[in-house]
Amino acid sequence: MQGLGELESAAMDVLWRASEARTVREVLEALNRDLAYTTVLTVLDHLHSKGWVEREKRSRAYCYTPALSREEAAARAMRNLLADVGDPEGVLLHFARSASEGERDALRRGLRKRS
């Protein structure tokens, strides 16, 4: 995801796939990497500071949940990319021309719902 490092993206993926809040220990286990507990704690703390995750204290540990769905985060990244280019209309038109039929159908449905 744009704006996230490799380990931050991996931690977000764990949280997005989870059906409920996860502790640092649970995220560490799901990452299935040779990492220190404090490394994952720091990553989740950074994600909280950046507004990517919310946390709630339970007993002595924080439990983390995504602040945005994966789809909302992707849409925010797209919005940021469009803001950074000189011709956002050109980018959108190029995307529309190169989109698959399924993607074009999804765009049409989304635009109809917005109206």
Side-chain angles (χ1 to χ4, degrees), residues 12-112:
M12 286 303 302
D13 187 56
V14 167
L15 294 174
W16 279 322
R17 286 186 283 112
S19 58
E20 57 189 24
R22 294 284 180 235
T23 64
V24 174
R25 175 87 42 218
E26 291 168 330
V27 172
L28 173 62
E29 290 170 2
L31 287 170
N32 198 25
R33 299 184 189 191
D34 188 25
L35 297 169
Y37 177 92
T38 54
T39 299
V40 176
L41 175 63
T42 300
V43 166
L44 290 170
D45 187 55
H46 287 162
L47 288 169
H48 180 259
S49 297
K50 292 178 178 183
W52 283 88
V53 299
E54 296 171 350
R55 66 184 180 193
E56 177 185 336
K57 190 106 174 189
R58 295 189 191 157
S59 296
R60 295 182 359 210
Y62 280 112
C63 290
Y64 294 85
T65 56
L68 303 168
S69 70
R70 187 186 304 265
E71 295 78 11
E72 290 168 324
R76 182 167 74 176
M78 287 173 55
R79 173 94 30 226
N80 290 339
L81 282 170
L82 288 172
D84 289 345
V85 298
D87 182 17
E89 181 179 343
V91 172
L92 288 170
L93 291 174
H94 180 73
F95 174 78
R97 283 190 299 270
S98 65
S100 70
E101 189 59 40
E103 291 166 337
R104 287 192 297 270
D105 288 343
L107 286 169
R108 285 185 200 101
R109 282 192 306 275
L111 290 171
R112 275 195 300 273

